[in-house]
Amino acid sequence: MDLHDFRDVAENYDRYLEVMYSDGFDRHENFQEFYLNLAKQYGQGGTVDIACGTGAVLLYLAERGIEIDGTDLSEEMCKVAARKAEEQNLNLNIYPADMTKFNSGRKYSLAIIARSGFMHLPNQQLQIDALKNIREQLLPNGILTFNTFDPWPPVQAEQIHSTPDDYVFRLEYVNADENKEKIYNAISYDPITQQMKGNWKFETYNDAGEIIGERIRPLLMRQIYRSEVFLLAELCGFEVMDIYRGYNGDKEDLNDPSTAWKYRSNLIWILRKKD
């Protein structure tokens, strides 16, 4: 199982992500507006939010008139997203499915994999399977967008030598039960598989500051280099149109790989289906 398959994680996902993405490298300001603009530009034939989580992008776009479906590997995440949609009187098709196999019975002009969804595919074969399947779900010239980040050697070097017990404080937030929780990460990196593997530890506190609960949840992701994405795109019938550095409209130079060293970037890839 992965971090997102647990009910307690799904129920608290929105709460701790709000803190996680509020500053620093993980800043995600304007990310919903970014996808809304993409949907207005490319989603006229229908949009699908893959790895939709609890619906941060899915519901935002649906509220603004975008025709959109949502799917996620985690049934628990889909349940939360569906509940939120019902509370907002949105009639949406939200269903659990593997991105390497999903098929809603219709085609889309835009497929969105926001945040780190694509990086949760733990090996290259699954990445290929996902890209080929998504291509089959797209209309001619359909668009796929997903995120990666530039692997950073100093961080990789630290994580190569870390153990499952080397927890580092990540953030503090208030959970769905209105208790304070602290999240700690212990992440190791394997340079052969390019996998980040580890655990998240959730410590729950009462009003007196005493620990009243602890949960350990596993995490597995794969780091992806820019050169890999170009090769994967070509292999799976896509072409890279653009790379955005964050959500404020700054584009990368497709012919200048040195920018990976100038910026530690959250990269948003825009791929077009080739026919």
Side-chain angles (χ1 to χ4, degrees):
M1 297 183 74
D2 187 64
L3 175 74
H4 305 93
D5 296 319
F6 291 87
R7 181 178 179 181
D8 60 276
V9 174
E11 293 291 338
N12 289 293
Y13 190 68
D14 292 338
R15 289 172 173 258
Y16 71 71
L17 251 62
E18 183 178 357
V19 177
M20 182 182 298
Y21 289 148
S22 63
D23 57 19
F25 172 70
D26 283 328
R27 185 183 294 275
H28 273 47
E29 61 184 5
N30 301 322
F31 85 98
Q32 292 170 312
E33 293 87 347
F34 178 89
Y35 290 112
L36 177 60
N37 289 333
L38 278 185
K40 289 179 177 178
Q41 184 174 1
Y42 298 116
Q44 293 87 350
T47 298
V48 59
D49 184 358
I50 304 168
C52 66
T54 56
V57 173
L58 173 69
L59 301 181
Y60 185 85
L61 269 56
E63 285 180 309
R64 286 153 182 81
I66 301 299
E67 180 189 351
I68 187 167
D69 292 341
T71 181
D72 196 288
L73 182 62
S74 168
E75 185 174 356
E76 294 298 335
M77 289 286 189
C78 288
K79 288 178 181 177
V80 174
R83 185 176 69 234
K84 290 164 63 178
E86 184 178 358
E87 291 170 354
Q88 298 175 36
N89 295 315
L90 296 170
N91 183 19
L92 299 178
N93 182 24
I94 304 172
Y95 58 97
D98 189 325
M99 72 173 73
T100 67
K101 303 174 183 177
F102 86 96
N103 185 333
S104 69
R106 63 161 300 182
K107 305 289 186 181
Y108 304 93
S109 59
L110 173 63
I112 295 171
I113 310 177
R115 293 171 170 167
S116 60
F118 188 74
M119 295 179 66
H120 282 274
L121 296 166
N123 60 62
Q124 201 169 74
Q125 185 57 57
L126 287 175
Q127 293 168 358
I128 291 170
D129 292 344
L131 289 174
K132 287 185 174 180
N133 182 56
I134 292 168
R135 186 183 186 279
E136 291 302 309
Q137 312 312 316
L138 289 174
L139 293 166
N141 297 311
I143 299 297
L144 165 64
T145 178
F146 61 86
N147 294 20
T148 65
F149 61 80
D150 286 321
W152 195 244
V155 175
Q156 289 175 322
E158 291 180 7
Q159 292 179 341
I160 286 172
H161 300 290
S162 66
T163 72
D165 297 320
D166 291 334
Y167 284 102
V168 177
F169 174 75
R170 184 68 182 272
L171 61 90
E172 180 180 310
Y173 78 107
V174 177
N175 69 16
D177 295 323
E178 301 303 324
N179 289 316
K180 183 176 73 175
E181 284 198 339
K182 293 182 179 181
I183 298 179
Y184 297 83
N185 298 156
I187 304 295
S188 61
Y189 177 69
D190 183 339
I192 305 301
T193 62
Q194 297 172 213
Q195 289 181 345
M196 299 165 57
K197 186 176 183 179
N199 294 304
W200 283 36
K201 180 169 69 174
F202 297 78
E203 288 183 348
T204 309
Y205 293 78
N206 61 18
D207 291 339
E210 301 166 328
I211 296 178
I212 58 174
E214 179 181 294
R215 310 183 306 283
I216 305 295
R217 300 292 180 249
L219 179 72
L220 179 63
M221 298 174 66
R222 184 177 185 272
Q223 296 190 13
I224 309 167
Y225 290 88
R226 294 190 191 199
S227 56
E228 287 184 272
V229 178
F230 283 96
L231 292 172
L232 286 168
E234 180 66 25
L235 177 66
C236 299
F238 289 93
E239 64 175 340
V240 177
M241 293 176 56
D242 286 307
I243 311 173
Y244 287 90
R245 188 173 65 252
Y247 299 100
N248 293 315
D250 298 323
K251 288 186 180 182
E252 295 283 87
D253 185 343
L254 299 184
N255 300 311
D256 182 10
S258 68
T259 56
W261 300 100
K262 296 176 185 176
Y263 310 98
R264 292 184 60 187
S265 303
N266 179 23
L267 303 177
I268 302 101
W269 295 81
I270 311 296
L271 276 56
R272 184 183 68 83
K273 175 181 176 179
K274 294 195 298 185
D275 295 308

